[in-house]
Amino acid sequence: MSSQTIIKVMIGFYVALFFAYLFGPLAVMSVTAFNTPSYPSAYPLEGFTLDWFVKLWNHRAMMEGLRNSIIIGIGVICVSVPVGLAAAVVMNQIYHRARSLYYLVTVSPVLTPGVIIGISTVIFWRDFSEMTGTRGFFYKGIMLSIFGQSSFIAAYCLLIIMARLQRFDRAQEEAALDLGASYPQVFWHILLPFLRPALVSASVIAFLSSFENYNTTTFAILADKTLVTVLAGEVRQGTTPALSALAVIIIALSLLGAIAYEVVKRREERRSARIAERAKLAERGDLAAAVA
């Protein structure tokens, strides 16, 4: 056996061990969702059942927490993405010497512990609501969670949008202004279409970060509950296969989303390749082939 063969075998063994370590717990947990014992158990297989999915659907606290998590996630998107976009545009416009300080201020919430953000959010909006007489609107668990999570998730959106904005050609703005366009028109018709991929990515990251957040949410949610806080309470009381059923659903949705994204991405790549090929044919003067 040659040294190259030994290296290939060792690399293959390492890759297999890595994926087994990564996906092994998920596979075991998925089996427990279909096994009949009342305690999560993958072996022995006593029978196949879908009762745990039914019990999950009938779990009132879990469904209420899931609804609140979705509402909070959408609210975080509505707050974090515009704030991150505005911060990215300002950072791209201010003087170079001030960017370091500005960057430090805008990104600092990411470095702040979630417990501190949650407690400070509750204290600030409680005092603000008492001073303005709007306690019934702002001082609610869902609103406080949106504000608390957005305070640091907006920094994620800023970083994503800035990565895209640094590739923007400012000559397009200057050309549009020279042709008589106003600044709002330049923003809506030139800058936003260019930033659309980054805005979509920032929205997805904001929703997922909000959906799985626990440290900030557990203090800001007050008497309400989210899916994560309900799960934490269920685990403390004793886990059941219904939680495994929820995990199976989340895994399935994640896989479907990844597959759908890959299919759409490949279609767009093929469409772009066809357009580029037609452009090359048109440049060569082969109009008939380009039209075909």
Side-chain angles (χ1 to χ4, degrees):
M1 183 180 293
S2 65
S3 60
Q4 294 294 331
T5 303
I6 295 176
I7 292 175
K8 290 181 180 179
V9 171
M10 293 300 297
I11 292 176
F13 174 76
Y14 172 77
V15 171
L17 186 64
F18 171 77
F19 281 106
Y21 174 79
L22 188 64
F23 296 107
L26 299 180
V28 173
M29 181 182 58
S30 300
V31 173
T32 63
F34 300 97
N35 203 2
T36 53
S38 58
Y39 185 83
S41 176
Y43 183 84
L45 292 174
E46 299 182 6
F48 180 83
T49 181
L50 297 176
D51 291 343
W52 301 115
F53 292 88
V54 177
K55 291 183 178 180
L56 174 65
W57 178 260
N58 295 329
H59 198 301
R60 184 174 179 180
M62 199 85 71
M63 292 299 102
E64 181 182 353
L66 176 61
R67 183 196 64 188
N68 290 339
S69 295
I70 294 175
I71 293 174
I72 292 172
I74 295 174
V76 169
I77 292 175
C78 296
V79 175
S80 299
V81 174
V83 171
L85 174 61
V89 172
V90 171
M91 182 177 292
N92 198 44
Q93 299 289 338
I94 61 177
Y95 291 106
H96 181 73
R97 294 181 178 178
R99 289 182 182 178
S100 299
L101 178 60
Y102 182 81
Y103 179 83
L104 177 64
V105 173
T106 54
V107 180
S108 59
V110 178
L111 307 177
T112 306
V115 176
I116 296 177
I117 293 178
I119 296 175
S120 59
T121 299
V122 173
I123 295 175
F124 172 81
W125 287 104
R126 181 195 62 190
D127 296 341
F128 177 83
S129 300
E130 291 177 353
M131 288 188 298
T132 59
T134 57
R135 189 180 182 89
F137 178 76
F138 290 107
Y139 198 70
K140 290 183 178 180
I142 292 179
M143 294 298 299
L144 292 176
S145 298
I146 292 174
F147 293 143
Q149 294 178 10
S150 299
S151 62
F152 66 91
I153 293 178
Y156 299 153
C157 299
L158 162 67
L159 297 176
I160 295 173
I161 297 172
M162 272 299 301
R164 176 73 174 177
L165 190 60
Q166 289 175 353
R167 297 159 52 190
F168 180 66
D169 187 6
R170 296 291 300 275
Q172 299 181 37
E173 290 184 348
E174 297 173 358
L177 293 172
D178 291 340
L179 293 174
S182 61
Y183 283 100
Q185 289 175 330
V186 172
F187 177 79
W188 284 104
H189 298 290
I190 296 179
L191 185 59
L192 277 187
F194 177 80
L195 294 177
R196 185 179 293 113
L199 295 176
V200 174
S201 300
S203 300
V204 174
I205 295 298
F207 182 84
L208 295 178
S209 300
S210 170
F211 195 84
E212 59 85 26
N213 181 264
Y214 177 77
N215 291 335
T216 300
T217 306
T218 191
F219 288 94
I221 197 65
L222 298 181
D224 294 325
K225 60 190 70 175
T226 63
L227 181 62
V228 176
T229 59
V230 173
L231 288 176
E234 292 290 330
V235 171
R236 284 195 294 267
Q237 296 175 4
T239 183
T240 66
L243 302 183
S244 300
L246 176 63
V248 169
I249 294 174
I250 294 176
I251 293 172
L253 292 176
S254 300
L255 290 176
L256 290 176
I259 293 172
Y261 171 78
E262 191 65 24
V263 170
V264 172
K265 180 181 179 181
R266 292 188 178 184
R267 287 181 179 178
E268 291 179 351
E269 290 177 351
R270 289 196 295 266
R271 188 182 302 112
S272 300
R274 288 196 298 267
I275 294 174
E277 184 65 24
R278 291 176 181 177
K280 291 180 180 180
L281 293 174
E283 290 177 359
R284 295 172 185 174
D286 193 355
L287 298 178
V291 173

